[in-house]
Amino acid sequence: MSEILQNIQTGAEKRFTGLGVSPGIGRGNTFVHGGVFVEPETYKVGQEEVEDEISRLDVALADTRKQIEQLQEQLQEQVGGTATGRREASIFDAHLLMLEDRSMLDEVTAIAREQRLNIESAFYRTINNYIGVLRVADDLYLRQRVIDLEDVMRRVLRNLSLMKPADHSVRHPHILIAHELTPSDTAAMDRSLVMGFATEVGGSMAHTAIIARSLGLPAVVGLRGICDVIHTGDALLIDGYNGVLIVNPSAETLAEYEVLVDEKDSAARRLEDLRDSKPETSDGRELTLSANIEFEHEVVIAKKNGAQGIGLYRTEFFYMHDGKMPSEEQQAENYTRVAKGVNPDGVIIRTADIGGDKLPGTVVEREANPFLGWRGIRLTLGRVEMFKTQLRAILRAGAAGRVSVMFPMLSTLDEMRRSRLLLEECADELESEGIAHNREIEVGAMIEVPSAALVADQIAGEVDFLSVGTNDLIQYTMAVDRVNDQVADLYQPLNPAVIRLLRMTVSAGHEKKIWVGVCGEMASDLLCIPLLVGLGFDEFSVSAPRVPAVKHALRHLSYDECKAMAGEALQDSDPQKILARCRAVAMESYSELLSR
Ligand code: PEP
Ligand code: MG
C-alpha cells in the first residue's frame, strides 16, 4: 500500500500543496465530487461533426494516458522499488493497455460514425458492453478486470468534460474535492455548507477562482491526482492562504491554525475602521476604489466594505444561471436594483462576456480554443437581438441611478463603434416607445486584448472611460491560458510587455482627458498596487472582500514615490527586478498587510 494511502487510513496527518487561489481557512469532512458516476447523455451529431467527435476522443485518451503515467510515477517515487509498490504500479500498466486496445476503440469509432452518436455515448456504450461481458466471465482474473475498465472509462469520460454539476445535495458542512469545477458550479455553492474546495486543475485567474474570492471561500487548485487519494468522509483542513490541504490534521496543527485564524480576524477588524475613509494616497492623490461583483447580492458586501460603487458588474453570470437568457424586464429590474443599491455611487455594467471559461452551455457551442473564439463583444455583436435586450435594460436602469456601460473583449475600434451604434439604436427605440431610460449614460471600453491596448488612443477618443481587464490582458499578451496551472509561471503581471501596455493605455486615456481604471485581479494584488498607482491609474476595482486591504494599501502609498518607481520599472527588462521594486515600496508602506 502506498505511504499516502496508509497515512490516510491510519489517521496520520498528511499535507498536499497546490496553488492557493482564494484565501481563508476551512475545516470539515471531505466530499469528493465525481464519486458518483453519471451516465453520459446521448444525442445525434451532424455528419460533418462526426470526425471532430472522434478527435475529441483522441485528445481525451491522450490526456488520460498522461494522467495515468503521472500517477504511476508518483507511486513509484513514494513506494520506491518495493514489491507492493511494483504491484500497485503495474495496475496502471493494465489501465494503459486498455487505453491502447485498438479493437475496442475501433468499435467506438465505428458506432460514432455509423450511428452519428456523440462520442461520450459511443464510448460509454461500447465499454459498458465489454464490462457486461467481463462481469459474467468464468475466469476470476477477467471478472476482476471490471473495476479497472470502469476506472479507465470514468477517467476518459471525465476528460471529455463530463463532469456533472457539483452535487449540492450534501446537507452537512464539507470541503469539496473535484477534478474541476466550473464557474457556475462555484456560483451555485451554498456558502453555509461548503467550507472550501480543492481541485486537480485550475488557475488563479480562472473565473472559478475569481468567484471563490468573491464568496470568501477558501480554495486550492492544481492538486493533481487528489481525487484518487482523498475520499469522502476524510477529515480535512484547507488553507487557501498557502495552498495547503491537510488530511487528518493533528491537534498541534489545529492549534496553529486557530492562531492564524485569530490573527487574520483581528487584522480584518482593524481594516473595518477604514470603511468611511477615502482611498487617497499619503500625498493627496485621490483615487476611486470600487468593487467587482458577479451577483446582485454582493452589492451589500461591497457597501459594507466601503467600496465607492461597482466598477465591474460581470453580468454573464446572470445568463449562466440556468442556461436561459433573462428577459429585458428581468434584466432591467436586476440592474435597477443594483443601481439603487449603490446609490449615491454608480455601477458600471459590463455587457455579457460569455465564452472562454464561462460556458453557459446553450449559448456557446464547444470550441477548440474558447479563449480565442466567440467570446464577449464578438458573441454579442453576432447575437444582435440578445445584445439589444441587454442594452435596452441597461439604458432603462440608467433612469434609476448612476449607471454606466462597458464592453468586454474589444479587439478593434470598429467593435466599439458598432456597439455604440446599437446602444443609440436602443435609446431611440425606447424613446419612441415612451419607456423611461437615460441615453446619456457613460460608455467605457475594456482594454484587455493587446490589439485594443495598442490602439487605446483611438478608442479613448470615442468613450468616457477605459477599464483595463488585466486578467485577460496578461493572458493574451503572454499567450498563456489563464486557467491552466501548467503554464502559470508565464502568467506574469509584471512582465515588461504587460506594463508597457498598461502605460500606453493610461497615457492614451489621460491624453483624451478621460479616466482610466483597472478592474482585473492585478488591482487587488498588494505587490502590484504600487506600480499601478505609479503608472497613473485613476480607479481600482477589486472583489468586494478585498476592498478594505486595498484601501489601506492605497492610503499608505506616496504617489510621487510610486511614480518614480514605475518610471524605473519601465526601463527594466527583468520581471523579477520589477517585482523587487514593487515589493520594496509595498513593504515600506504596508508591511503589516504582507506578513504570513
Ligand atoms: C479581466 O479580464 O481582467 C476582467 C476583469 O474580466 P474577466 O475576469 O471577467 O474576464
Ligand atoms: Mg476579461
Side-chain angles (χ1 to χ4, degrees), residues 207 210 312 314 316 350 353 358 375 446 448 469-472 482 519-520:
H207 284 93
I210 290 175
L312 164 65
R314 291 184 164 99
E316 55 277 4
R350 177 176 78 178
D353 181 17
K358 296 178 277 195
R375 181 188 168 192
M446 277 196 83
E448 49 183 353
T470 49
N471 307 338
D472 279 311
R482 65 193 258 188
C519 62

Side-chain angles (χ1 to χ4, degrees), residues 165-225:
D167 185 341
H168 301 296
S169 59
V170 197
R171 301 310 317 160
H172 55 81
H174 61 279
I175 292 171
L176 188 65
I177 305 289
H179 173 68
E180 185 175 22
L181 290 170
T182 64
S184 49
D185 286 336
T186 314
M189 281 175 192
D190 180 342
R191 191 64 191 86
S192 66
L193 294 177
V194 184
M195 303 289 108
F197 69 80
T199 57
E200 297 192 326
V201 296
S204 77
M205 294 304 141
H207 284 93
T208 297
I210 290 175
I211 293 178
R213 289 194 284 273
S214 289
L215 295 173
L217 197 62
V220 178
V221 303
L223 287 159
R224 289 184 183 263

Side-chain angles (χ1 to χ4, degrees), residues 88-156:
E88 284 190 15
S90 73
I91 294 174
F92 293 119
D93 282 335
H95 288 199
L96 288 171
L97 279 179
M98 286 172 184
L99 284 175
E100 268 144 33
D101 187 328
R102 219 39 269 174
S103 64
M104 195 161 72
L105 296 175
D106 285 348
E107 259 180 66
V108 178
T109 46
I111 292 186
R113 286 200 177 100
E114 282 156 24
Q115 302 182 27
R116 286 202 283 106
L117 284 187
N118 60 314
I119 201 69
E120 291 88 351
S121 180
F123 181 76
Y124 174 66
R125 281 162 188 243
T126 312
I127 308 302
N128 227 13
N129 275 342
Y130 276 82
I131 290 174
V133 173
L134 289 179
R135 244 189 251 286
V136 294
D138 290 336
D139 184 323
L140 177 65
Y141 174 82
L142 286 180
R143 284 206 304 279
Q144 284 175 343
R145 298 288 67 76
V146 166
I147 199 139
D148 292 326
L149 196 51
E150 267 180 353
D151 193 349
V152 171
M153 177 181 75
R154 287 173 194 200
R155 250 179 214 288
V156 174

